[in-house]
Amino acid sequence: MTGSHQNSTHSASHTQQDKASTPSPCDYCNSSRSVLYCRADSAKLCFKCDREVHSTNQLFSKHTRTLLCDSCYDSPASILCSTESSVLCHNCDWESHNLSLPTVHERGPLEGFTACPSVSELLTILGFEDVGKKALLYGDGGGGGDGGGGEKNSADDFMGCEIEGFSDFFVWDAPSVVSLDDLISSSAPSHNFQAMEVPPLPKNRKSSCGRHREEILSQLRELAKSEPLDLDTEQQQYLQSGNMSTDLEHDFKTDKFPSYEWHRRSSEPMNQVVPLNTLLNEEVAVEHPTSAVSENNEGKTPISFKSETVSVVPKATPCELTSQERDSALLRYKQKKKTRRYEKHIRYESRKVRAQSRIRVKGRFAKMEH
DNA sequence: GGCAGAAGTTGTGGTTAAACGTGAG
DNA sequence: ACTCACGTTTAACCACAACTTCTGC
């Protein structure tokens, strides 16, 4: 083993550690935060680019995409832990549940999606079906005069804010098969493979989009701007009549940083956006609304906040790309796709040489005779 | 902090059984 | 619709050197 080889392996492991637990930008636009993983492309994408890439042709639309793991941000999530409201890849699930938190957490399989679902379909897929278009309409702090009683408040700050009580909106879609045990118990020959006596998972679970639902919902709202929602007449009139929250209007037209919109303070105007320089590479004091008290647009009832210092990831660059940027991004994506390696990659040539010279019995490695 | 040794983990390829897909009867 | 035969694909298996992480001094 040469020194340079050792160095390369060391640096490789460092690289892996470095990129772990750090949200990475979209492989396509390189600006929005990636929330989806496409196995076929080995690409991490934001919702907007996912739509753009996978709507290109029918072949691409068949790619299965899943959410990124909440823990390592590097692998497709396959397990939903409803106890922690997180989505995890197999490795992280194993680490967090088999080593430290054995079996007390309620977990289930997480499935991806194919084709190019509409925003409302995506909301359903991600377990937001009860919030759906209303939340997209009223966005953050908007509200509007729609009925709905007390729960309306929660949806008002749906996009940008973590609000207590709001999690009740999120509905867990109970998968038909929850575990291997379910498969076994459901395999009685007379039952026609339907799961029998397997209680469905509780309906009041949180959404299946993991810990980053703010980011996901923010991107979905961006997506909704370019996609005519399947709205009812009342909602359409509401949008057109100008009754729409000024905040939402602002979002649709000028807000470049929807993900960070909740960084405003209660004393600031509702449509004020945190300047870019405060968002880049520095810790900023932000305040989360702790209770959903925002009423309608005219009321401007102040939202109560709790202060919290968070590390802002410098990825909050505009989602809106110029045509040049788009072309550039497309080029980058295509180049990356070209250089993708499907063939087997040997990390340690010395091990290969060693394996090839090993004694075998029916293809298996045999013990060396000393 | 630096070093040495122990302990634990990873990666390697040929064979084969099982799984899977397809077409014929 | 079903069974069977046949071809193709996939994943598990094995031992151990190389590599990484931990521990004690």
Side-chain angles (χ1 to χ4, degrees):
Chain A
M1 177 66 66
T2 65
S4 62
H5 193 167
Q6 280 185 333
N7 286 343
S8 67
T9 56
H10 277 287
S11 61
S13 68
H14 277 301
T15 308
Q16 277 189 334
Q17 285 175 356
D18 291 344
K19 73 179 177 181
S21 305
T22 307
S24 53
C26 169
D27 285 342
Y28 188 81
C29 66
N30 213 29
S31 60
S32 294
R33 209 169 93 186
S34 56
V35 290
L36 294 172
Y37 189 89
C38 173
R39 283 182 187 271
D41 295 330
S42 301
K44 290 179 268 189
L45 302 167
C46 64
F47 273 107
K48 191 174 182 181
C49 296
D50 173 70
R51 167 72 59 87
E52 190 162 337
V53 168
H54 291 104
S55 63
T56 310
N57 60 48
Q58 281 196 328
L59 193 62
F60 289 171
S61 74
K62 290 178 181 176
H63 292 179
T64 300
R65 286 94 73 198
T66 51
L67 290 169
L68 270 175
C69 173
D70 277 343
S71 181
C72 64
Y73 300 104
D74 199 47
S75 302
S78 55
I79 306 288
L80 166 67
C81 174
S82 54
T83 307
E84 288 183 322
S85 300
S86 60
V87 295
L88 300 169
C89 64
H90 276 300
N91 287 342
C92 296
D93 175 63
W94 174 263
E95 283 176 14
S96 64
H97 291 111
N98 281 46
L99 301 182
S100 58
L101 300 164
T103 65
V104 291
H105 284 189
E106 291 183 86
R107 289 141 63 228
L110 188 67
E111 293 184 356
F113 63 90
T114 57
C116 295
S118 66
V119 173
S120 50
E121 284 168 342
L122 282 169
L123 286 167
T124 304
I125 289 168
L126 295 169
F128 295 129
E129 56 189 345
D130 276 15
V131 178
K133 294 170 289 189
K134 179 183 171 185
L136 287 175
L137 267 175
Y138 302 138
D140 57 312
D146 188 31
E151 291 183 345
K152 169 177 68 68
N153 301 336
S154 300
D156 290 341
D157 283 84
F158 173 72
M159 277 321 194
C161 310
E162 177 80 30
I163 299 172
E164 288 178 15
F166 179 60
S167 58
D168 292 341
F169 270 89
F170 299 100
V171 175
W172 161 266
D173 261 344
S176 55
V177 175
V178 176
S179 66
L180 185 60
D181 290 341
D182 298 339
L183 281 173
I184 294 169
S185 68
S186 67
S187 60
S190 60
H191 291 160
N192 200 22
F193 294 101
Q194 284 192 330
M196 299 299 286
E197 298 183 359
V198 178
L201 290 166
K203 273 288 187 181
N204 58 346
R205 287 166 181 259
K206 293 180 178 179
S207 67
S208 53
C209 65
R211 294 172 183 164
H212 302 96
R213 58 176 181 268
E214 291 84 14
E215 176 66 25
I216 289 171
L217 291 169
S218 176
Q219 290 190 11
L220 285 177
R221 191 166 59 142
E222 283 291 323
L223 202 59
K225 294 174 190 176
S226 57
E227 172 187 297
L229 286 170
D230 183 21
L231 309 173
D232 55 43
T233 312
E234 187 183 345
Q235 288 170 322
Q236 286 176 359
Q237 285 175 348
Y238 198 80
L239 264 178
Q240 291 166 0
S241 67
N243 281 342
M244 196 60 193
S245 152
T246 53
D247 293 346
L248 187 57
E249 238 174 273
H250 162 78
D251 293 341
F252 276 30
K253 290 171 182 173
T254 62
D255 188 357
K256 305 259 187 204
F257 309 100
S259 310
Y260 301 93
E261 205 169 30
W262 47 271
H263 287 212
R264 60 181 168 239
R265 299 165 194 277
S266 56
S267 59
E268 292 170 347
M270 292 293 280
N271 58 356
Q272 182 167 342
V273 177
V274 177
L276 177 60
N277 57 3
T278 68
L279 293 175
L280 295 177
N281 239 352
E282 56 183 316
E283 284 195 340
V284 294
V286 298
E287 291 156 335
H288 297 259
T290 54
S291 61
V293 294
S294 171
E295 293 183 8
N296 56 29
N297 201 24
E298 298 90 12
K300 291 279 191 214
T301 306
I303 301 175
S304 65
F305 289 87
K306 62 177 179 184
S307 293
E308 181 182 345
T309 300
V310 298
S311 184
V312 175
V313 184
K315 309 298 183 191
T317 47
C319 289
E320 301 296 338
L321 300 175
T322 66
S323 59
Q324 275 189 339
E325 285 170 332
R326 278 188 46 166
D327 289 345
S328 165
L330 188 61
L331 195 63
R332 279 202 308 274
Y333 181 76
K334 285 177 177 174
Q335 289 289 346
K336 190 172 181 177
K337 214 171 178 181
K338 274 183 187 174
T339 57
R340 196 175 303 138
R341 295 187 304 181
Y342 293 99
E343 74 277 10
K344 187 176 181 180
H345 173 56
I346 302 297
R347 292 179 63 186
Y348 302 102
E349 197 68 31
S350 59
R351 289 182 175 179
K352 177 181 177 180
V353 173
R354 173 77 188 157
Q356 284 173 333
S357 65
R358 295 284 296 274
I359 298 171
R360 295 168 185 273
V361 177
K362 289 188 176 181
R364 297 180 180 183
F365 295 126
K367 283 190 178 180
M368 301 282 283
E369 292 186 14
H370 298 289

